[in-house]
Amino acid sequence: MSQPTNSIAASESDIATAADRLASAAAAGVPCSPVRDLIGADDLAAAYAVQQRVNDLRQQAGAKVVGRKIGLTSVAVQQQLGVDQPDLGVLFDNMAYANGADIPMSLLIQPKIEGEVAFVLGADLADGPLDAAQVRGAIEYAVAALEICDSRIENWDIRFGDTVADNASSGVYVLGTERRTLDEVAPVDVVMSMAVDGQEVSSGNGAACLGDPIEAVVWLARAARDLGQPLLAGQVILSGALGPMATVAAGNTVTVTVSGLGTVTARFVGEKEA
């Protein structure tokens, strides 16, 4: 599976303009037009350069990197966007919410929800082959996760370059509290169900995530190292959706159940700011 190492065709000016567009949309809570008009629809290096600029701004404002997320793990979504690989985004400390927490809708623009397996690393993934055996050995535990994806791009009108630039369409996330080692649960075998207000809206299994969530982390570890930012001990890894995305609105309570890992839930409160 290919890694994000191609050369940049977009100009520095276009990259800076794209980053400013996305950062302004996030700050205002108002979606913007796609950035592919500036950086192209499939220039990976340019898209990651934009992502880095926007993420640098977040760090300058005080946010701390706590992990990574893997996006586009579904073959169907990859085909829809005309790509043959996942993408990655950065998780910051202010994106994390506790299990059962209220999540303010004012933080989000056009949220969509996913049920996933998350991992916490007990060792760095910076050197070596970064194969499945090494990745398994580096994982301290797995938990159920609810990822709230979001897009700064109007109407989710995205292509590969747009979502990569937009930090892989990251929003916020919630981790479950039932921690299991890989001796206790096999991520490939889990079954996921996600419900909104008690009504199932999505279901799937571990094999839906690049064939195995462990293989998703293998891809991530290699891609992150290629970008010069390898995965580190203590980081949280959102390994990708186990079923289709669903929309969410103010007042909804979402519950994700993952076999062997228990449940994780959140309530969406308040109204979106005008």
Side-chain angles (χ1 to χ4, degrees):
M1 200 172 293
S2 54
Q3 304 296 325
T5 56
N6 64 320
S7 60
I8 299 178
S11 70
E12 281 295 316
S13 175
D14 285 340
I15 289 169
T17 300
D20 288 343
R21 184 183 297 178
L22 291 168
S24 295
V30 177
C32 62
S33 60
V35 295
R36 59 183 179 270
D37 64 317
L38 295 165
I39 63 169
D42 55 9
D43 185 337
L44 273 71
Y48 279 110
V50 174
Q51 182 188 123
Q52 185 63 53
R53 280 178 177 259
V54 177
N55 288 342
D56 285 347
L57 292 173
R58 294 184 70 162
Q59 290 181 273
Q60 290 166 17
K64 299 185 183 305
V65 175
V66 296
R68 301 292 179 84
K69 66 156 285 184
I70 312 167
L72 303 178
T73 54
S74 159
V75 172
V77 175
Q78 289 182 14
Q79 291 174 343
Q80 181 184 12
L81 296 181
V83 299
D84 64 353
Q85 62 183 292
D87 68 347
L88 64 89
V90 174
L91 302 180
F92 293 96
D93 55 349
N94 57 7
M95 294 167 62
Y97 281 80
N99 190 12
D102 288 349
I103 297 177
M105 289 295 291
S106 60
L107 296 178
L108 304 164
I109 296 176
Q110 41 192 355
K112 296 178 182 290
I113 50 176
E114 295 179 342
E116 307 188 11
V117 175
F119 301 103
V120 173
L121 299 180
D124 294 351
L125 286 169
D127 301 309
L130 302 184
D131 56 13
Q134 184 179 356
V135 164
R136 289 182 63 89
I139 291 172
E140 185 174 349
Y141 60 85
V143 293
L146 168 62
E147 181 181 0
I148 300 89
C149 300
D150 203 5
S151 180
R152 272 51 63 179
I153 294 171
E154 191 171 17
N155 297 321
W156 280 87
D157 177 15
I158 59 173
R159 299 295 183 270
F160 192 57
D162 297 306
T163 187
V164 170
D166 191 24
N167 199 27
S169 302
S170 297
V172 298
Y173 68 93
V174 186
L175 300 184
T177 56
E178 295 188 31
R179 301 177 177 182
R180 298 288 182 267
T181 69
L182 297 188
D183 290 332
E184 297 173 306
V185 64
V188 69
D189 293 332
V190 302
V191 175
M192 183 277 297
S193 175
M194 182 168 65
V196 174
D197 298 337
Q199 183 72 35
E200 185 178 76
V201 295
S202 178
S203 62
N205 54 51
C209 180
L210 290 184
D212 184 341
I214 297 297
E215 290 300 327
V217 183
V218 169
W219 178 89
L220 175 67
R222 294 172 176 174
R225 183 171 67 181
D226 286 348
L227 288 169
Q229 299 173 344
L231 305 182
L232 303 175
Q235 290 187 334
V236 175
I237 306 299
L238 297 181
S239 64
L242 304 183
M245 279 181 166
T247 57
V248 68
N252 288 157
T253 296
V254 179
T255 301
V256 170
T257 302
V258 180
S259 61
L261 295 174
T263 63
V264 56
T265 187
R267 190 165 68 101
F268 292 81
V269 300
E271 299 296 333
K272 291 176 60 59
E273 294 181 0

PDB file of all heavy atoms in Angstrom, residues 159-185:
ATOM      1  N   ARG A 159     -12.692  15.783  -2.116  1.00  0.00           N
ATOM      2  CA  ARG A 159     -11.904  14.778  -2.803  1.00  0.00           C
ATOM      3  C   ARG A 159     -10.716  14.471  -1.893  1.00  0.00           C
ATOM      4  O   ARG A 159     -10.609  15.017  -0.807  1.00  0.00           O
ATOM      5  CB  ARG A 159     -11.451  15.289  -4.174  1.00  0.00           C
ATOM      6  CG  ARG A 159     -12.600  15.628  -5.106  1.00  0.00           C
ATOM      7  CD  ARG A 159     -13.423  14.410  -5.486  1.00  0.00           C
ATOM      8  NE  ARG A 159     -14.480  14.764  -6.431  1.00  0.00           N
ATOM      9  CZ  ARG A 159     -15.710  15.145  -6.063  1.00  0.00           C
ATOM     10  NH1 ARG A 159     -16.027  15.233  -4.766  1.00  0.00           N
ATOM     11  NH2 ARG A 159     -16.611  15.439  -6.971  1.00  0.00           N
ATOM     12  N   PHE A 160      -9.835  13.612  -2.340  1.00  0.00           N
ATOM     13  CA  PHE A 160      -8.758  13.158  -1.467  1.00  0.00           C
ATOM     14  C   PHE A 160      -7.928  14.318  -0.937  1.00  0.00           C
ATOM     15  O   PHE A 160      -7.644  14.404   0.260  1.00  0.00           O
ATOM     16  CB  PHE A 160      -7.880  12.161  -2.223  1.00  0.00           C
ATOM     17  CG  PHE A 160      -6.918  11.414  -1.339  1.00  0.00           C
ATOM     18  CD1 PHE A 160      -7.377  10.676  -0.265  1.00  0.00           C
ATOM     19  CD2 PHE A 160      -5.559  11.425  -1.587  1.00  0.00           C
ATOM     20  CE1 PHE A 160      -6.510   9.970   0.551  1.00  0.00           C
ATOM     21  CE2 PHE A 160      -4.678  10.728  -0.789  1.00  0.00           C
ATOM     22  CZ  PHE A 160      -5.155  10.002   0.283  1.00  0.00           C
ATOM     23  N   GLY A 161      -7.549  15.240  -1.802  1.00  0.00           N
ATOM     24  CA  GLY A 161      -6.729  16.361  -1.358  1.00  0.00           C
ATOM     25  C   GLY A 161      -7.414  17.228  -0.326  1.00  0.00           C
ATOM     26  O   GLY A 161      -6.785  17.727   0.610  1.00  0.00           O
ATOM     27  N   ASP A 162      -8.741  17.391  -0.476  1.00  0.00           N
ATOM     28  CA  ASP A 162      -9.491  18.212   0.474  1.00  0.00           C
ATOM     29  C   ASP A 162      -9.496  17.606   1.871  1.00  0.00           C
ATOM     30  O   ASP A 162      -9.232  18.292   2.866  1.00  0.00           O
ATOM     31  CB  ASP A 162     -10.947  18.357   0.003  1.00  0.00           C
ATOM     32  CG  ASP A 162     -11.071  19.076  -1.322  1.00  0.00           C
ATOM     33  OD1 ASP A 162     -10.537  20.188  -1.440  1.00  0.00           O
ATOM     34  OD2 ASP A 162     -11.709  18.520  -2.232  1.00  0.00           O
ATOM     35  N   THR A 163      -9.804  16.315   1.960  1.00  0.00           N
ATOM     36  CA  THR A 163      -9.916  15.714   3.295  1.00  0.00           C
ATOM     37  C   THR A 163      -8.553  15.579   3.961  1.00  0.00           C
ATOM     38  O   THR A 163      -8.419  15.792   5.164  1.00  0.00           O
ATOM     39  CB  THR A 163     -10.644  14.357   3.248  1.00  0.00           C
ATOM     40  OG1 THR A 163     -10.865  13.895   4.581  1.00  0.00           O
ATOM     41  CG2 THR A 163      -9.902  13.312   2.463  1.00  0.00           C
ATOM     42  N   VAL A 164      -7.501  15.275   3.189  1.00  0.00           N
ATOM     43  CA  VAL A 164      -6.159  15.219   3.780  1.00  0.00           C
ATOM     44  C   VAL A 164      -5.777  16.586   4.334  1.00  0.00           C
ATOM     45  O   VAL A 164      -5.322  16.709   5.477  1.00  0.00           O
ATOM     46  CB  VAL A 164      -5.126  14.745   2.749  1.00  0.00           C
ATOM     47  CG1 VAL A 164      -3.703  14.927   3.288  1.00  0.00           C
ATOM     48  CG2 VAL A 164      -5.361  13.288   2.388  1.00  0.00           C
ATOM     49  N   ALA A 165      -5.966  17.627   3.521  1.00  0.00           N
ATOM     50  CA  ALA A 165      -5.619  18.975   3.958  1.00  0.00           C
ATOM     51  C   ALA A 165      -6.372  19.372   5.214  1.00  0.00           C
ATOM     52  O   ALA A 165      -5.848  20.071   6.090  1.00  0.00           O
ATOM     53  CB  ALA A 165      -5.897  19.969   2.836  1.00  0.00           C
ATOM     54  N   ASP A 166      -7.604  18.888   5.334  1.00  0.00           N
ATOM     55  CA  ASP A 166      -8.479  19.229   6.448  1.00  0.00           C
ATOM     56  C   ASP A 166      -8.308  18.252   7.610  1.00  0.00           C
ATOM     57  O   ASP A 166      -9.268  17.866   8.276  1.00  0.00           O
ATOM     58  CB  ASP A 166      -9.933  19.239   5.956  1.00  0.00           C
ATOM     59  CG  ASP A 166     -10.907  19.846   6.962  1.00  0.00           C
ATOM     60  OD1 ASP A 166     -10.465  20.644   7.810  1.00  0.00           O
ATOM     61  OD2 ASP A 166     -12.102  19.507   6.888  1.00  0.00           O
ATOM     62  N   ASN A 167      -7.063  17.848   7.854  1.00  0.00           N
ATOM     63  CA  ASN A 167      -6.723  16.955   8.970  1.00  0.00           C
ATOM     64  C   ASN A 167      -7.570  15.686   8.960  1.00  0.00           C
ATOM     65  O   ASN A 167      -8.061  15.229   9.998  1.00  0.00           O
ATOM     66  CB  ASN A 167      -6.855  17.676  10.325  1.00  0.00           C
ATOM     67  CG  ASN A 167      -6.084  16.970  11.427  1.00  0.00           C
ATOM     68  OD1 ASN A 167      -5.096  16.287  11.175  1.00  0.00           O
ATOM     69  ND2 ASN A 167      -6.550  17.109  12.659  1.00  0.00           N
ATOM     70  N   ALA A 168      -7.743  15.124   7.751  1.00  0.00           N
ATOM     71  CA  ALA A 168      -8.507  13.888   7.570  1.00  0.00           C
ATOM     72  C   ALA A 168      -9.932  14.022   8.100  1.00  0.00           C
ATOM     73  O   ALA A 168     -10.499  13.078   8.639  1.00  0.00           O
ATOM     74  CB  ALA A 168      -7.791  12.704   8.203  1.00  0.00           C
ATOM     75  N   SER A 169     -10.491  15.215   7.940  1.00  0.00           N
ATOM     76  CA  SER A 169     -11.881  15.477   8.369  1.00  0.00           C
ATOM     77  C   SER A 169     -12.096  15.122   9.840  1.00  0.00           C
ATOM     78  O   SER A 169     -13.101  14.526  10.220  1.00  0.00           O
ATOM     79  CB  SER A 169     -12.876  14.725   7.475  1.00  0.00           C
ATOM     80  OG  SER A 169     -12.731  15.086   6.118  1.00  0.00           O
ATOM     81  N   SER A 170     -11.148  15.518  10.674  1.00  0.00           N
ATOM     82  CA  SER A 170     -11.231  15.230  12.108  1.00  0.00           C
ATOM     83  C   SER A 170     -12.168  16.194  12.811  1.00  0.00           C
ATOM     84  O   SER A 170     -12.305  17.352  12.416  1.00  0.00           O
ATOM     85  CB  SER A 170      -9.838  15.348  12.748  1.00  0.00           C
ATOM     86  OG  SER A 170      -8.954  14.401  12.200  1.00  0.00           O
ATOM     87  N   GLY A 171     -12.789  15.710  13.875  1.00  0.00           N
ATOM     88  CA  GLY A 171     -13.598  16.551  14.739  1.00  0.00           C
ATOM     89  C   GLY A 171     -13.185  16.348  16.187  1.00  0.00           C
ATOM     90  O   GLY A 171     -12.200  16.915  16.650  1.00  0.00           O
ATOM     91  N   VAL A 172     -13.932  15.496  16.887  1.00  0.00           N
ATOM     92  CA  VAL A 172     -13.595  15.140  18.266  1.00  0.00           C
ATOM     93  C   VAL A 172     -13.780  13.629  18.414  1.00  0.00           C
ATOM     94  O   VAL A 172     -14.251  12.954  17.498  1.00  0.00           O
ATOM     95  CB  VAL A 172     -14.463  15.912  19.296  1.00  0.00           C
ATOM     96  CG1 VAL A 172     -14.225  17.411  19.174  1.00  0.00           C
ATOM     97  CG2 VAL A 172     -15.942  15.600  19.127  1.00  0.00           C
ATOM     98  N   TYR A 173     -13.426  13.098  19.575  1.00  0.00           N
ATOM     99  CA  TYR A 173     -13.574  11.652  19.764  1.00  0.00           C
ATOM    100  C   TYR A 173     -13.802  11.325  21.233  1.00  0.00           C
ATOM    101  O   TYR A 173     -13.502  12.126  22.130  1.00  0.00           O
ATOM    102  CB  TYR A 173     -12.361  10.898  19.216  1.00  0.00           C
ATOM    103  CG  TYR A 173     -11.071  11.130  19.980  1.00  0.00           C
ATOM    104  CD1 TYR A 173     -10.679  10.284  21.013  1.00  0.00           C
ATOM    105  CD2 TYR A 173     -10.243  12.204  19.665  1.00  0.00           C
ATOM    106  CE1 TYR A 173      -9.499  10.495  21.707  1.00  0.00           C
ATOM    107  CE2 TYR A 173      -9.060  12.421  20.351  1.00  0.00           C
ATOM    108  CZ  TYR A 173      -8.693  11.563  21.370  1.00  0.00           C
ATOM    109  OH  TYR A 173      -7.525  11.772  22.074  1.00  0.00           O
ATOM    110  N   VAL A 174     -14.354  10.126  21.448  1.00  0.00           N
ATOM    111  CA  VAL A 174     -14.635   9.630  22.793  1.00  0.00           C
ATOM    112  C   VAL A 174     -14.118   8.200  22.884  1.00  0.00           C
ATOM    113  O   VAL A 174     -14.396   7.385  21.992  1.00  0.00           O
ATOM    114  CB  VAL A 174     -16.153   9.651  23.097  1.00  0.00           C
ATOM    115  CG1 VAL A 174     -16.409   9.258  24.552  1.00  0.00           C
ATOM    116  CG2 VAL A 174     -16.760  11.009  22.786  1.00  0.00           C
ATOM    117  N   LEU A 175     -13.385   7.891  23.933  1.00  0.00           N
ATOM    118  CA  LEU A 175     -12.883   6.539  24.147  1.00  0.00           C
ATOM    119  C   LEU A 175     -13.677   5.835  25.241  1.00  0.00           C
ATOM    120  O   LEU A 175     -14.055   6.454  26.236  1.00  0.00           O
ATOM    121  CB  LEU A 175     -11.407   6.565  24.552  1.00  0.00           C
ATOM    122  CG  LEU A 175     -10.417   7.190  23.568  1.00  0.00           C
ATOM    123  CD1 LEU A 175      -8.993   7.035  24.103  1.00  0.00           C
ATOM    124  CD2 LEU A 175     -10.544   6.583  22.181  1.00  0.00           C
ATOM    125  N   GLY A 176     -13.897   4.540  25.051  1.00  0.00           N
ATOM    126  CA  GLY A 176     -14.512   3.730  26.089  1.00  0.00           C
ATOM    127  C   GLY A 176     -13.555   3.505  27.245  1.00  0.00           C
ATOM    128  O   GLY A 176     -12.370   3.869  27.187  1.00  0.00           O
ATOM    129  N   THR A 177     -14.058   2.897  28.287  1.00  0.00           N
ATOM    130  CA  THR A 177     -13.251   2.703  29.502  1.00  0.00           C
ATOM    131  C   THR A 177     -12.851   1.252  29.746  1.00  0.00           C
ATOM    132  O   THR A 177     -12.095   0.966  30.670  1.00  0.00           O
ATOM    133  CB  THR A 177     -14.013   3.222  30.730  1.00  0.00           C
ATOM    134  OG1 THR A 177     -15.285   2.566  30.799  1.00  0.00           O
ATOM    135  CG2 THR A 177     -14.225   4.726  30.641  1.00  0.00           C
ATOM    136  N   GLU A 178     -13.343   0.332  28.908  1.00  0.00           N
ATOM    137  CA  GLU A 178     -12.984  -1.085  29.064  1.00  0.00           C
ATOM    138  C   GLU A 178     -11.731  -1.375  28.249  1.00  0.00           C
ATOM    139  O   GLU A 178     -11.790  -1.546  27.035  1.00  0.00           O
ATOM    140  CB  GLU A 178     -14.139  -1.987  28.629  1.00  0.00           C
ATOM    141  CG  GLU A 178     -15.376  -1.861  29.504  1.00  0.00           C
ATOM    142  CD  GLU A 178     -16.420  -2.909  29.174  1.00  0.00           C
ATOM    143  OE1 GLU A 178     -16.036  -4.026  28.754  1.00  0.00           O
ATOM    144  OE2 GLU A 178     -17.614  -2.618  29.325  1.00  0.00           O
ATOM    145  N   ARG A 179     -10.597  -1.399  28.906  1.00  0.00           N
ATOM    146  CA  ARG A 179      -9.320  -1.599  28.233  1.00  0.00           C
ATOM    147  C   ARG A 179      -9.016  -3.092  28.126  1.00  0.00           C
ATOM    148  O   ARG A 179      -9.080  -3.819  29.113  1.00  0.00           O
ATOM    149  CB  ARG A 179      -8.203  -0.893  29.001  1.00  0.00           C
ATOM    150  CG  ARG A 179      -8.420   0.611  29.146  1.00  0.00           C
ATOM    151  CD  ARG A 179      -7.324   1.245  29.982  1.00  0.00           C
ATOM    152  NE  ARG A 179      -7.491   2.694  30.072  1.00  0.00           N
ATOM    153  CZ  ARG A 179      -6.657   3.501  30.699  1.00  0.00           C
ATOM    154  NH1 ARG A 179      -5.578   2.997  31.306  1.00  0.00           N
ATOM    155  NH2 ARG A 179      -6.887   4.810  30.741  1.00  0.00           N
ATOM    156  N   ARG A 180      -8.648  -3.515  26.914  1.00  0.00           N
ATOM    157  CA  ARG A 180      -8.341  -4.927  26.684  1.00  0.00           C
ATOM    158  C   ARG A 180      -7.024  -5.038  25.927  1.00  0.00           C
ATOM    159  O   ARG A 180      -6.778  -4.310  24.970  1.00  0.00           O
ATOM    160  CB  ARG A 180      -9.442  -5.603  25.854  1.00  0.00           C
ATOM    161  CG  ARG A 180     -10.808  -5.614  26.520  1.00  0.00           C
ATOM    162  CD  ARG A 180     -10.850  -6.598  27.684  1.00  0.00           C
ATOM    163  NE  ARG A 180     -12.183  -6.645  28.293  1.00  0.00           N
ATOM    164  CZ  ARG A 180     -12.567  -5.909  29.324  1.00  0.00           C
ATOM    165  NH1 ARG A 180     -11.716  -5.039  29.863  1.00  0.00           N
ATOM    166  NH2 ARG A 180     -13.780  -6.021  29.823  1.00  0.00           N
ATOM    167  N   THR A 181      -6.179  -5.965  26.358  1.00  0.00           N
ATOM    168  CA  THR A 181      -4.955  -6.235  25.615  1.00  0.00           C
ATOM    169  C   THR A 181      -5.300  -7.066  24.381  1.00  0.00           C
ATOM    170  O   THR A 181      -6.401  -7.618  24.259  1.00  0.00           O
ATOM    171  CB  THR A 181      -3.948  -7.002  26.475  1.00  0.00           C
ATOM    172  OG1 THR A 181      -4.446  -8.332  26.700  1.00  0.00           O
ATOM    173  CG2 THR A 181      -3.713  -6.297  27.810  1.00  0.00           C
ATOM    174  N   LEU A 182      -4.329  -7.191  23.483  1.00  0.00           N
ATOM    175  CA  LEU A 182      -4.566  -7.988  22.276  1.00  0.00           C
ATOM    176  C   LEU A 182      -4.557  -9.478  22.573  1.00  0.00           C
ATOM    177  O   LEU A 182      -4.937 -10.279  21.708  1.00  0.00           O
ATOM    178  CB  LEU A 182      -3.527  -7.638  21.211  1.00  0.00           C
ATOM    179  CG  LEU A 182      -3.574  -6.186  20.720  1.00  0.00           C
ATOM    180  CD1 LEU A 182      -2.639  -5.993  19.524  1.00  0.00           C
ATOM    181  CD2 LEU A 182      -4.988  -5.757  20.358  1.00  0.00           C
ATOM    182  N   ASP A 183      -4.170  -9.865  23.782  1.00  0.00           N
ATOM    183  CA  ASP A 183      -4.345 -11.253  24.210  1.00  0.00           C
ATOM    184  C   ASP A 183      -5.798 -11.511  24.604  1.00  0.00           C
ATOM    185  O   ASP A 183      -6.243 -12.668  24.626  1.00  0.00           O
ATOM    186  CB  ASP A 183      -3.439 -11.572  25.404  1.00  0.00           C
ATOM    187  CG  ASP A 183      -1.964 -11.626  25.013  1.00  0.00           C
ATOM    188  OD1 ASP A 183      -1.677 -11.951  23.834  1.00  0.00           O
ATOM    189  OD2 ASP A 183      -1.112 -11.329  25.872  1.00  0.00           O
ATOM    190  N   GLU A 184      -6.517 -10.433  24.908  1.00  0.00           N
ATOM    191  CA  GLU A 184      -7.901 -10.572  25.376  1.00  0.00           C
ATOM    192  C   GLU A 184      -8.936 -10.358  24.273  1.00  0.00           C
ATOM    193  O   GLU A 184     -10.073 -10.814  24.392  1.00  0.00           O
ATOM    194  CB  GLU A 184      -8.162  -9.580  26.509  1.00  0.00           C
ATOM    195  CG  GLU A 184      -7.321  -9.822  27.741  1.00  0.00           C
ATOM    196  CD  GLU A 184      -7.474  -8.709  28.785  1.00  0.00           C
ATOM    197  OE1 GLU A 184      -7.280  -7.531  28.428  1.00  0.00           O
ATOM    198  OE2 GLU A 184      -7.787  -9.048  29.947  1.00  0.00           O
ATOM    199  N   VAL A 185      -8.568  -9.643  23.219  1.00  0.00           N
ATOM    200  CA  VAL A 185      -9.502  -9.377  22.125  1.00  0.00           C
ATOM    201  C   VAL A 185      -8.736  -9.331  20.807  1.00  0.00           C
ATOM    202  O   VAL A 185      -7.613  -8.819  20.761  1.00  0.00           O
ATOM    203  CB  VAL A 185     -10.272  -8.054  22.352  1.00  0.00           C
ATOM    204  CG1 VAL A 185      -9.337  -6.860  22.343  1.00  0.00           C
ATOM    205  CG2 VAL A 185     -11.392  -7.879  21.337  1.00  0.00           C
TER     206      VAL A 185
END
